[in-house]
Amino acid sequence: MSTKEALIQGLNEDLAAEYGTVIRYTYQSGKAFGLLGAELRELLAGEITDELGHAAFLTDVIVDLGGEPVTEPRQFDKPDGLKEMLALDEEMELNDVKNYMAHAELAGELGYIELKLKLEEMAADEAGHARELRRILKGL
Ligand SMILES: [Fe+2]
Ligand SMILES: [Fe+2]
């Protein structure tokens, strides 16, 4: 597999992850009760907007690179309880950070400078999401 093919495949995994996150956050919002649940719902609503923006960008880039964007979301766990949900979300956000940084490096190797910087920016977005989730987790 060429580096470019590896990049397209990696970006498609990221795209499936973004769709999975949008669905997971929507699902969790419906299952979040109480005052802390209300706070979580508000936080997740903002993050869903970010993740949809990431998905749209990845779709455009995959098409531009000559690939076929996936439309299937990555599957996710459905733990009961706010604490377990938040712990899962933080872990998955940090996982996304790792993947975006790895794919930013690939993009850099190929000389795709806009893509490299944008993927790093998206890694930073996910790191920010993880930090916000940690803030709520600390209160539990
Ligand atoms: Fe995202
Ligand atoms: Fe995120």
Side-chain angles (χ1 to χ4, degrees), residues 18 50-51 54 100 126:
E18 291 290 354
D50 291 347
E51 315 302 18
H54 293 164
Y100 280 135
E126 312 302 14

Side-chain angles (χ1 to χ4, degrees), residues 21 25 47 51 93 96 125-126 129:
T21 303
Y25 286 170
E47 296 195 357
E51 315 302 18
E93 291 284 358
D96 293 342
D125 289 344
E126 312 302 14
H129 292 164

Side-chain angles (χ1 to χ4, degrees), residues 19 25 30 35 47 69 73 94 106 116 118 130-131 135:
Y19 283 137
Y25 286 170
L35 280 177
E47 296 195 357
L94 292 175
L106 271 188
K116 176 181 192 283
K118 191 77 203 237
R131 175 169 40 77
R135 281 184 60 79

